[in-house]
Amino acid sequence: MSGNEAMSRGAIEAGVRFCASYPGTPSTEITESLMRSASDRGIYVEWSTNEKVALEAASAASWVGVSALCPMKSLGLNVAADFLLNLNLSGSGKGGLVIVVCDDPEGHSSSNEQDSRFYAKAAMLPLLEPSTGQEAKEAILYAFDLSRRHEVPVIVRSTTRLSHSSSLVNVGPLPQVAPATLSSFPRGLFNVPQPAVKHRELLSKIQLIAAEFEKSSLNKLNLGPDAKTLLISSGICQSYSEEALALVHTKNTGSLGLVTTNPIPTGLIANAMAGVERVLFVEETDPFLEDEIRSQYVGLSTPDRPRFYGKRTKTLPAWGEMSVDHVVKGLSQVTDLSHEMSLHGGLEARARGAKLLISRPLTFCAGCTHRNVYWALRQEKKRRGGQLVVAGDIGCYSLGVFYDETMNTMQAMGSGIGVACGLGQLGRFGFESAVVAVAGDSTFFHACLPALVNARHKNANLTFLILDNETTAMTGFQPHPGSAVQDKGQRRISIPDLVRAIGPDYMTTSDSVEIGPLIELIHTTVAKDGLRVLILKGICRLEQQRRGVSHEGLGKVSVNPALCRGEKCKICFSQFGCTAIGWLPTEKQATILDEVCVRCGSCIGVCPYKAIRQE
Amino acid sequence: MHRSVSLQGHSPGVIYLDRLYNVLIAGVGGQGNLLCGRVLAEAAILKGYRPTIGETFGASRRGGTVVTHVRIGDHDLGPLIPRGTVDMLIGLEPMEALRAAVDYCGERAIAVVSTAEVQTMQCITGTTKYPPLADILDVMSSICASVSPIDPVLALGETEYRRVLNSFMLGAALTIGIAPLTANGVRESLTGLMQPVGPNVAAFDAGLKTSVRV
């Protein structure tokens, strides 16, 4: 099973009964696999509107004795942080509350590569960093136990390589499914009037937990008596360190793998370091352990402590993802071990190969209606001589940044409309660009409402495009409040009704399949003044495919060779760039690749010579 | 607390971990790359190993590069194969095979590569040119111990090859051998995982019949 499935299994073995979450790579499968057991195991699982709501809901469950899990991606914890840094003082309940945060070093599927462990430090909460699928399952079980005993939330940190790799996991027994026993609602679930006292109480709990971590069997020391070098690693890096040691086959280097990393087990670390000359810290993304351990040794003279190496000494890179190769390289730098990876052909062949390679940049799917919207925005930008700024955010529509950089800004969930609130006030300073904000439907519910209210309240001058394909497409089609199909017991919330209630100066709902009318609608709307909202109904072709919707019955799309201007034009395939539009090198003309085409006919409106037709 | 790690290195020059075999599968989204890795891992489990699968699938649904690392050994290892320690590279697409060779392969690597190109969007639109197949194979030969190009279109036909390329390439790789696995073991695992079963098993057997030179 994958690391994510292992964590889900751990939660079930620990008797989890409540899970609230918002999807985000690489964390999504934890909640999804829990959903598969939900009815059998009597677990309530929901996709909440955002991570803060999810954490609040999960905390409520734990307060009355219902064991709760709250998985999220790295960036999700930023959203939930406001609540987290109050919840730490209020405490969780007898049910136990485990927060799983999945970081994404290198940012494979994220807009940053943050190290979320600092939230555990900021909130002074216990933190576990498992290194394998097996350990991930065990860590979740232990986290629930710890949380229940101390009534504090416990954070388990995973990373992409743990969450998304698969290995054998030995499962444990499942608890009996019994009716939940509720504890009485706790008193004092607030931090006022003396948050400082609550802070002191939290510190006392953490002291007890620190003592427990010193003896935890999750931490592993492998150190011979004559070892002069010690690798201290956490999370997946523990397996990198072990493999690096095996690769360089050295006897005088040992390894300390830490799973309990906040509070750090200082006694265990001091014992491991005694008699060692050098320590190399191996961890995923920032020097979290390294700084913590360095800070405890500040002021001690050199004979009393080993030399420290890590990200701070540039022995290991302080950005990007860690790997066995990095550890081997770092290790050979700090010791006299010379290790050459056996690379046949070596650098020269690799350099020649690298020159041959071309990239495969991400692009919209064939027939994706997001492409149509950006195509229309590109036309509007041209008409305005470039005087149009598009502020966007997170979802499949983020691909707009790769589409002739049509999307100009892309940061956090909902930040497009927030940034536009500012841009929409800059006319008074002479800012002349028209302002457009873009958000998807799931993002709209997640984080756009406060900014949209702000835009209305302050009369910001902007156009807000809501690209509504009725699903959370980017992360695998999770339902949200606006989805067309809702689970039993859930009620659909209409985006148009919500927007209407806020009272924009102009609002309309339209289709985004036909290009011509879309270009005109965007043009006339952007030309207006005030707060304008366009709800553009879109279609996710992958979601359609999942539902088994066939386009076979639709007319075949083709290029009329008599009308295609070929090399003189190239608009359809080199600018519009639908993946279903190909190029015939001998005829020097465009062609429609029928095996890729979804027969939406959007490209018909793109050709200025009416050369594309549909049967 | 104290645990012994029974990972041992071997002869100098070639560095590997005891009883460990590293397979890298390189291709583009939609080629069934991840499933290929699963088939090998299941076959390894049937043989009593503890395989680890590392997947890079951020862009898998959207035609991006997809690489699957399958590590067949006795221990829970990190999911990524260290540079230069690939034993078998299964290339579902020639340029992606080269990309994987540049990043991960060394003199231990035996490469079996499909010659059927998947053009990038930029190649289709004429912005860039797909590198010549001969150059790809030439560079790969300088990086890897051996490179065996295989034409799945010739063996399976234009439409069929798209559906079952992964099973076919697994068969072709097994003509050389994926150390601890047997053709029968992989076929058994494939039967349980690949859909539709019939055409995939047929493609696997067709792959086994190809004459792969090492």
Side-chain angles (χ1 to χ4, degrees), chain B residues 107-127:
Chain B
E107 67 178 22
R108 275 161 61 177
I110 293 167
V112 181
V113 186
S114 159
T115 55
E117 298 165 356
V118 178
Q119 300 283 328
T120 73
M121 189 60 217
Q122 280 64 28
C123 296
I124 295 167
T125 59
T127 328

Side-chain angles (χ1 to χ4, degrees), chain A residues 29 108-109 132 134 161-162 164-170 214-217 219-224 236 238-240 242-243 246-247 249 268 321 324-325 339-347 349-350 352-354 356-363 365 396 399 473-477 542 570 573-574 577-579 581-583 593 595, chain B residues 1-5 7-10 13-15 17 20 28 38 45 49-59 61-65 71 76-85 93 95-96 98-99 101-107 118-125 128-132 135-136 138-139 141-145 162:
Chain A
E29 300 82 4
H108 295 287
S109 314
T132 62
Q134 185 72 52
R161 297 301 179 189
L162 175 62
H164 279 181
S165 55
S166 303
S167 59
L168 279 179
V169 173
N170 302 325
E214 290 289 351
K215 291 173 284 185
S216 171
S217 61
N219 301 319
K220 292 181 183 83
L221 180 65
N222 183 32
L223 189 69
I236 193 91
Q238 198 181 320
S239 34
Y240 298 159
E242 281 171 5
E243 191 168 353
L247 274 170
H249 32 94
L268 171 68
E321 200 171 27
V324 173
D325 305 305
H339 174 80
E340 296 269 328
M341 284 292 191
S342 186
L343 300 176
H344 186 65
L347 289 175
R350 260 158 236 283
R352 258 194 310 140
L356 282 178
L357 292 171
I358 51 173
S359 64
R360 288 189 190 274
L362 297 184
T363 180
C365 303
C396 281
L399 289 171
M474 191 83 194
T475 48
F477 322 107
L542 288 171
K570 279 187 168 179
F573 64 88
S574 74
C578 178
T579 46
I581 304 176
W583 178 247
L593 310 168
E595 68 273 21
Chain B
M1 174 72 51
H2 204 98
R3 102 173 146 173
S4 67
V5 181
L7 302 169
Q8 290 159 2
H10 276 253
V14 181
I15 293 136
L17 298 155
L20 173 64
V28 298
R38 250 164 223 283
I45 293 169
Y49 285 84
R50 278 188 84 87
T52 308
I53 310 177
E55 300 167 346
T56 56
F57 61 83
R61 273 205 307 264
R62 292 163 185 87
T65 299
R71 316 197 65 196
D76 283 344
L77 288 157
L80 301 188
I81 302 172
R83 263 176 89 111
T85 69
E93 201 282 336
M95 186 171 67
E96 294 314 317
L98 172 64
R99 200 185 308 279
V102 167
D103 289 345
Y104 293 102
C105 292
E107 67 178 22
V118 178
Q119 300 283 328
T120 73
M121 189 60 217
Q122 280 64 28
C123 296
I124 295 167
T125 59
T128 50
K129 269 185 103 163
Y130 191 94
D135 292 2
I136 291 179
D138 175 51
V139 174
S141 306
S142 315
I143 297 173
C144 304
R162 286 179 202 276

